[in-house]
Amino acid sequence: MKHYTSINDIDNIDTWIEEAKALKAEPLKHIALGKNKTLGLLFFNSSLRTRLSTQKAALNLGMNPIVMNVSGDAWGLEFDDGTIMSGNTAEHIKEAAAVVSQYCDIIAVRAFPTLTDKAKDESEQVMNAFMKHASVPIVNMESATGHPLQGLTDALTISEYVKVAKPKVVLSWAPHIKALPHAVGNSFIQAMQKMDVEFVIANPEGYDLNPEITGNTPIYHNQEEAFKDADFIYTKNWSSYEDYGKVVNTDPNWMITKNKIGNAKFMHCLPVRRNVVVEDAVLDSDSSIVIEQANNRTYAAQLVLKKLLEDL
Ligand code: CP
């Protein structure tokens, strides 16, 4: 594997899940693989789980992780070609990506969308610029349109808790006070479309995600109907795709409650706003598997790094 920037980079999700489980059982088994190799983690945006779990994954493989908050600590980066750089940007991505490649054997990047410029976000300008101008593999730690480390984690977590041959999995929108990206929802959809599950999406009118990603997955605008007989309820807020980046509805009736979920397991990528997205009674119950889900971020990242190291 050359890069890991999308769920589409997974050739066989069932095999990957088994490989991730093997790493979870013996995290230090491949500690010699990354000896004298450096992972650079570049953050244009905040993170708790991705920042720590990806470093832990690298350490489990014997790699040396180095971290930089690009937005706060680096020079302002220019991504457009041919620009007269007389404004706020002091360094072009052409030099920056090439230079970071001198120090790192793999580069992982987090860069959120603008949520104001749909075309720019869909062009994945930052991730593609790193892939073009770096000379080492690139890992997507959440980009404008995808969070494939999270999507792989979620697939692994479902496989650990599944009790029936073909579980029903629901991705449900829930209210939030801010406009949030589509990346987690998109990658979760792509991961579920690769798995042997009955998968449906629930969101209010006006919140249908990119039809090129949702494809043939059924979309319900009635949450109660979608939740019927669900085994897993994965909740996430996202802003409107059609009215791009806008909050068009904050209906509190879409908040996840204990009454609604029945016997289903509750999942969320975190961070989550309690009693806005989901009530305490869910998060504080045995129905919630969000902490194990976060734990699995390490093994999903470790599998991706292992595959990239093996192909260096
Ligand atoms: N789920 C997730 O990506 O968490 P962080 O934003 O804290 O990294």
Side-chain angles (χ1 to χ4, degrees):
M1 188 167 65
K2 200 163 171 223
H3 303 286
Y4 183 71
T5 58
S6 161
I7 290 290
N8 293 329
D9 292 323
I10 300 174
D11 51 8
N12 182 325
I13 201 158
D14 297 324
T15 308
W16 280 47
I17 287 169
E18 290 314 309
E19 290 174 331
K21 284 179 179 172
L23 290 174
K24 188 172 179 178
E26 285 185 274
L28 302 181
K29 186 174 178 186
H30 304 279
I31 194 142
L33 184 65
K35 190 165 184 254
N36 299 328
K37 303 286 186 210
T38 301
L39 173 68
L41 298 100
L42 305 182
F43 286 92
F44 288 83
N45 310 95
S46 304
S47 168
L48 186 152
R49 279 143 291 275
T50 306
R51 185 173 176 136
L52 296 182
S53 64
T54 312
Q55 287 184 80
K56 176 91 187 282
L59 291 166
N60 283 350
L61 291 166
M63 298 184 82
N64 302 307
I66 53 177
V67 186
M68 186 167 206
N69 294 324
V70 182
S71 295
D73 296 343
W75 303 109
L77 287 179
E78 178 61 52
F79 286 89
D80 290 331
D81 282 337
T83 313
I84 298 170
M85 287 172 55
S86 56
N88 290 329
T89 52
E91 177 155 29
H92 201 279
I93 186 64
K94 287 184 181 180
E95 285 77 47
V99 168
V100 177
S101 304
Q102 307 306 304
Y103 313 139
C104 301
D105 299 281
I106 298 173
I107 302 172
V109 180
R110 166 166 283 198
F112 288 174
T114 63
L115 288 183
T116 53
D117 187 336
K118 190 179 200 172
K120 187 173 180 177
D121 291 345
E122 295 203 320
S123 76
E124 287 286 9
Q125 186 185 47
V126 175
M127 209 56 59
N128 283 328
F130 272 98
M131 282 202 284
K132 184 171 178 188
H133 299 299
S135 54
V136 300
I138 301 298
V139 176
N140 179 348
M141 295 195 295
E142 188 171 345
S143 66
T145 65
H147 195 354
L149 288 176
Q150 184 69 54
L152 175 58
T153 299
D154 300 333
L156 167 63
T157 308
I158 286 174
S159 81
E160 289 180 326
Y161 283 88
V162 72
K163 289 206 171 90
V164 294
K166 188 167 177 148
K168 179 173 178 182
V169 180
V170 185
L171 169 65
S172 178
W173 180 95
H176 199 282
I177 58 163
K178 293 170 78 173
L180 296 189
H182 309 120
V184 169
N186 287 345
S187 289
F188 185 70
I189 292 167
Q190 290 172 320
M192 290 307 104
Q193 289 169 342
K194 284 176 176 281
M195 289 181 74
D196 188 20
V197 298
E198 181 192 344
F199 178 53
V200 304
I201 303 169
N203 57 254
E205 305 245 12
Y207 279 109
D208 287 6
L209 285 163
N210 182 351
E212 286 182 20
I213 291 175
T214 55
N216 294 327
T217 299
I219 299 173
Y220 290 76
H221 295 138
N222 179 322
Q223 196 184 44
E224 188 180 349
E225 206 182 322
F227 282 9
K228 199 166 175 301
D229 300 324
D231 297 293
F232 295 90
I233 293 175
Y234 192 107
T235 303
K236 182 74 184 81
N237 171 271
W238 57 85
S239 55
S240 178
Y241 177 75
E242 190 184 342
D243 194 358
Y244 191 69
K246 298 282 191 315
V247 176
V248 294
N249 179 350
T250 56
D251 185 354
N253 292 317
W254 278 74
M255 182 175 79
I256 307 302
T257 64
K258 194 90 180 83
N259 279 346
K260 284 183 190 175
I261 67 168
N263 294 322
K265 290 294 184 193
F266 173 78
M267 300 178 71
H268 190 286
C269 63
L270 304 181
V272 69
R273 286 180 184 252
R274 282 175 172 252
N275 305 308
V276 175
V277 172
V278 54
E279 67 175 4
D280 285 339
V282 175
L283 280 172
D284 296 336
S285 76
D286 291 342
S287 302
S288 173
I289 55 173
V290 298
I291 303 302
E292 196 53 32
Q293 199 181 341
N295 181 32
N296 281 339
R297 289 295 307 271
T298 298
Y299 308 106
Q302 194 170 332
L303 177 62
V304 167
L305 293 175
K306 177 173 174 283
K307 286 180 179 290
L308 292 172
L309 286 168
E310 285 168 344
D311 287 347
L312 279 181

